[in-house]
Amino acid sequence: MAKTRLTDENVIDILGATNLESKEVHTDDPLVKSRIRVTLDQLKPYDNNPRASRNPKFDDILSSIENAGLDQPPNISRRSSDAPHYIIIDGGNTRLEILNLLYEKYTHLAQLAESDGERLYHSQKAESFYVIDCIFKPWVSESKALTGHMSENENRGNMLLIEKALAVRTLRQFYETEDREKARVEGREYEDKPISTRSLAERITTQGWTIHHSHISRYDYAANTLLKAIPNAFWAGAGHSLVRQVRKYDAIYERYWRSTEAGQAEPERIKTLFLDTLRLYDDENVDIQGFLRDLDNQLGKLLDIHASIVTVEIEAILHGRVTSPAPPLSPGLSSEELVKKYKDTAPQGVRGNSDTPPAYNHTGSENQTSGTHTQKKTSAKKTQSRADQEQRDATVADSSAHGGEVNTQERLFGMVHALATKYGIEIIYLSSEERGGSIILFGVAPLDRALVPGKDEELGVVWWALTKCSLSFLGDKQKRYVGFIQNIETMFQHYLKPEGPVGTLLLFEQMILSCQPEIRGQLNEIQRLCGLMIEEISTGK
């Protein structure tokens, strides 16, 4: 038998009932909250319903209504008394959908029934879903209807973050329209200015949907910025954690980009690059670490530096080790003057070279000319007695304590040299970079082997800490020093975490914090002296 919709007439014929009250035409809606009887044909879901996903409690609600009936009919309203349909006013769209499904089901069963008793049972069941008593509420405003739906939806079933975010965005638009109309009616000029976050939260809460102002900006970011990049992730259920994480990195990468020459020339380019890269990782579960690695690689190409340098700088900002870009050097100092000022004062055992830094190939080794010198120097450092170095450190400390002339630069390189010699770390003293006009306080050469857990932790911690101090003060020509860190992954291969190099670097950050107090104190002092050196150079002292 073909499926046909059960009409008022054939329901009446089957039941032998009188004319249904629901067929009455309401020309004037009640002015106060009232109970009225309507049919499913007279009802429509709310057209601005914020819930686009399936209610997670859908099946439970359907089972309850089918077996026990509709114990809580939806509240309804109409924008005007001449509107063709009533609409759900504050939640109940899921119930309306279920009522329609059940009505169709039992209408069909009535059509297929083989006996009058069975047909009557299914027809009565269909009618119980078709004709319902509802509470009519006079129409107030679009914003009131939407906040009513949001409050009801949150009470009856979990909503997605993006649904809430889109509702907040729509409410902001509704409030602006309503404020504009109110100003027109009152004959005053409308102040066209954005509604503040706190004010928006207060208005929404006053209308029945409790929301904290701290969530508003997060919702705005999700709906206005992220949704166009990762829609699949949001509709799969991405929540506050992902939004907070992505937003944090968004701000960090923008800060880093704008501290570069390229970023100052094109400050907005990072926003496009950030979202375009994120779009490649739009899935039910966003691979944040993969996204960050990809973004670092693309930034490295734009800035003509190795991606590892970008990673280091981003992590430095993330953990609060960099509060602002390195101060510019005094334009009054030429590279020749810088060489003369610092080259001759390099401590014994630390190499001072000419204007041009040594070139490094992709394996982190120096070119053939400087490589021979490095091998000789490394050998010399290994044969230097620890007693001589301790005597040198004591001399520096004693001179400082008695008012001796030990400048910041000599103190810095003395400490760096002491630690580097103790752990066999190659330190390359670079006095200046001619074309970049930047001072490189010291360079740390890559370790030539992988670090072994249980054996090389302390070496790795000191190497990484010294490398950070060196890299923290590089100028705009960082590309020359790719060799210092490009083999990080090889060196850390036994420590690599599932989240990749970034996780490994974070591991070493934690190891720095837990290393011996004496070593940690020396590393902190080296970092402090680096800051003083940069200040002296930038002020031309």
Side-chain angles (χ1 to χ4, degrees):
M1 180 182 294
K3 177 182 176 182
T4 59
R5 184 176 180 84
L6 199 63
T7 64
D8 291 351
E9 289 75 14
N10 59 35
V11 168
I12 294 171
D13 291 341
I14 293 173
L15 300 178
T18 57
N19 212 17
L20 294 174
E21 183 180 349
S22 60
K23 291 188 66 177
E24 296 178 3
V25 177
H26 296 269
T27 55
D28 294 313
D29 291 328
L31 299 178
V32 296
K33 182 178 178 180
S34 307
R35 181 180 293 275
I36 65 173
R37 178 167 292 182
V38 296
T39 68
L40 293 182
D41 288 334
Q42 294 174 295
L43 282 177
K44 293 292 183 182
Y46 179 52
D47 45 6
N48 290 313
N49 182 23
R51 186 189 289 280
S53 61
R54 181 184 176 91
N55 190 324
K57 298 181 180 180
F58 185 93
D59 293 335
D60 292 339
I61 298 173
L62 186 150
S63 177
S64 175
I65 293 177
E66 182 172 18
N67 295 314
L70 184 65
D71 59 346
Q72 290 185 326
N75 298 323
I76 62 175
S77 186
R78 285 200 291 191
R79 292 184 174 93
S80 64
S81 59
D82 58 353
H85 296 94
Y86 295 97
I87 59 175
I88 306 299
I89 188 63
D90 53 8
N93 291 292
T94 297
R95 281 170 284 166
L96 178 58
E97 180 183 356
I98 289 173
L99 287 171
N100 276 288
L101 287 174
L102 292 174
Y103 174 72
E104 292 286 354
K105 173 182 176 178
Y106 284 95
T107 298
H108 184 58
L109 290 175
Q111 297 290 340
L112 297 177
E114 296 180 356
S115 66
D116 290 343
E118 186 180 0
R119 185 178 301 107
L120 179 61
Y121 171 78
H122 292 312
S123 297
Q124 289 176 330
K125 192 78 170 177
E127 184 201 14
S128 70
F129 302 128
Y130 182 71
V131 182
I132 55 177
D133 289 326
C134 295
I135 298 298
F136 177 90
K137 294 182 177 181
W139 181 260
V140 177
S141 64
E142 294 289 354
S143 61
K144 178 61 177 175
L146 180 50
T147 53
H149 276 278
M150 290 303 301
S151 177
E152 184 71 12
N153 282 329
E154 288 216 89
N155 289 334
R156 289 184 174 271
N158 294 329
M159 295 190 70
L160 300 178
L161 177 142
I162 194 59
E163 292 173 331
K164 299 177 187 180
L166 291 173
V168 167
R169 185 174 71 178
T170 302
L171 280 169
R172 186 189 295 274
Q173 296 168 352
F174 282 165
Y175 288 136
E176 290 173 350
T177 300
E178 292 166 8
D179 290 349
R180 189 179 294 107
E181 177 62 17
K182 182 179 179 181
R184 185 192 67 79
V185 172
E186 295 177 355
R188 56 181 174 81
E189 185 177 353
Y190 171 68
E191 295 185 36
D192 192 5
K193 60 180 182 180
I195 301 174
S196 70
T197 296
R198 190 174 293 274
S199 176
L200 181 60
E202 290 174 353
R203 291 180 70 166
I204 293 175
T205 300
T206 299
Q207 288 190 317
W209 177 29
T210 303
I211 187 171
H212 196 273
H213 68 86
S214 64
H215 289 172
I216 296 291
S217 61
R218 193 178 304 152
Y219 289 147
D220 287 344
Y221 181 70
N224 301 328
T225 301
L226 291 187
L227 181 58
K228 56 190 175 184
I230 50 173
N232 294 326
F234 275 125
W235 293 116
H240 289 273
S241 176
L242 178 65
V243 176
R244 282 195 299 265
Q245 193 174 19
V246 173
R247 191 180 185 188
K248 173 184 65 178
Y249 279 111
D250 190 353
I252 289 174
Y253 276 91
E254 180 172 358
R255 177 180 171 187
Y256 171 69
W257 172 254
R258 295 195 177 204
S259 71
T260 66
E261 286 186 356
Q264 293 168 8
E266 298 180 272
E268 299 301 318
R269 187 173 183 180
I270 187 61
K271 295 183 180 296
T272 301
L273 179 63
F274 188 91
L275 293 178
D276 285 348
T277 306
L278 181 61
R279 187 174 289 110
L280 301 175
Y281 293 84
D282 181 25
D283 201 350
E284 291 185 3
N285 296 301
V286 178
D287 180 7
I288 289 294
Q289 296 304 322
F291 158 63
L292 295 177
R293 285 194 297 270
D294 196 351
L295 185 58
D296 287 353
N297 286 329
Q298 295 192 57
L299 274 176
K301 293 177 182 178
L302 283 178
L303 299 173
D304 198 16
I305 60 177
H306 194 273
S308 298
I309 295 180
V310 177
T311 301
V312 170
E313 295 291 345
I314 292 297
E315 290 300 312
I317 297 174
L318 177 63
H319 295 282
R321 295 191 301 272
V322 177
T323 57
S324 62
L329 297 173
S330 170
L333 291 176
S334 66
S335 59
E336 291 78 10
E337 291 171 325
L338 291 171
V339 171
K340 181 178 180 180
K341 181 172 183 178
Y342 291 104
K343 179 179 179 181
D344 295 336
T345 59
Q348 182 180 3
V350 181
R351 182 178 62 195
N353 72 333
S354 62
D355 298 351
T356 306
Y360 281 85
N361 61 28
H362 292 293
T363 62
S365 302
E366 291 188 53
N367 58 27
Q368 186 174 0
T369 303
S370 58
T372 303
H373 183 85
T374 301
Q375 293 173 1
K376 292 180 179 179
K377 181 176 176 298
T378 302
S379 177
K381 286 198 296 185
K382 289 182 179 179
T383 58
Q384 180 182 10
S385 70
R386 185 166 184 173
D388 290 343
Q389 182 56 46
E390 290 175 347
Q391 178 63 41
R392 172 180 171 77
D393 291 342
T395 301
V396 172
D398 182 69
S399 177
S400 177
H402 292 83
E405 293 295 329
V406 180
N407 61 30
T408 303
Q409 189 251 7
E410 186 172 353
R411 171 69 172 163
L412 169 64
F413 280 98
M415 294 192 68
V416 169
H417 174 67
L419 273 179
T421 300
K422 177 180 178 181
Y423 292 97
I425 298 172
E426 173 71 12
I427 297 296
I428 306 170
Y429 174 54
L430 303 174
S431 56
S432 73
E433 183 183 39
E434 184 175 6
R435 284 171 292 179
S438 300
I439 281 293
I440 308 304
L441 301 182
F442 58 89
V444 181
L447 297 180
D448 57 2
R449 60 184 176 83
L451 302 177
V452 180
K455 179 181 179 182
D456 296 329
E457 278 88 352
E458 201 167 279
L459 166 62
V461 163
V462 173
W463 178 87
W464 176 236
L466 291 179
T467 299
K468 282 198 309 173
C469 287
S470 173
L471 292 174
S472 296
F473 304 104
L474 292 181
D476 296 329
K477 299 294 183 179
Q478 293 175 336
K479 63 183 179 180
R480 289 184 176 273
Y481 310 100
V482 168
F484 295 159
I485 63 171
Q486 67 180 0
N487 66 338
I488 282 180
E489 290 192 35
T490 300
M491 292 161 47
F492 290 167
Q493 63 180 332
H494 297 303
Y495 289 90
L496 281 176
K497 313 302 288 182
E499 56 269 30
V502 173
T504 307
L505 296 183
L506 291 177
L507 170 64
F508 271 72
E509 288 298 308
Q510 296 171 353
M511 292 169 68
I512 289 176
L513 296 176
S514 60
C515 69
Q516 297 179 25
E518 179 183 359
I519 296 176
R520 189 167 66 249
Q522 292 175 358
L523 295 174
N524 288 338
E525 177 64 7
I526 287 173
Q527 187 173 24
R528 186 187 72 83
L529 291 172
C530 283
L532 292 177
M533 276 287 292
I534 288 295
E535 183 178 357
E536 290 180 8
I537 295 169
S538 63
T539 56
K541 292 181 179 180

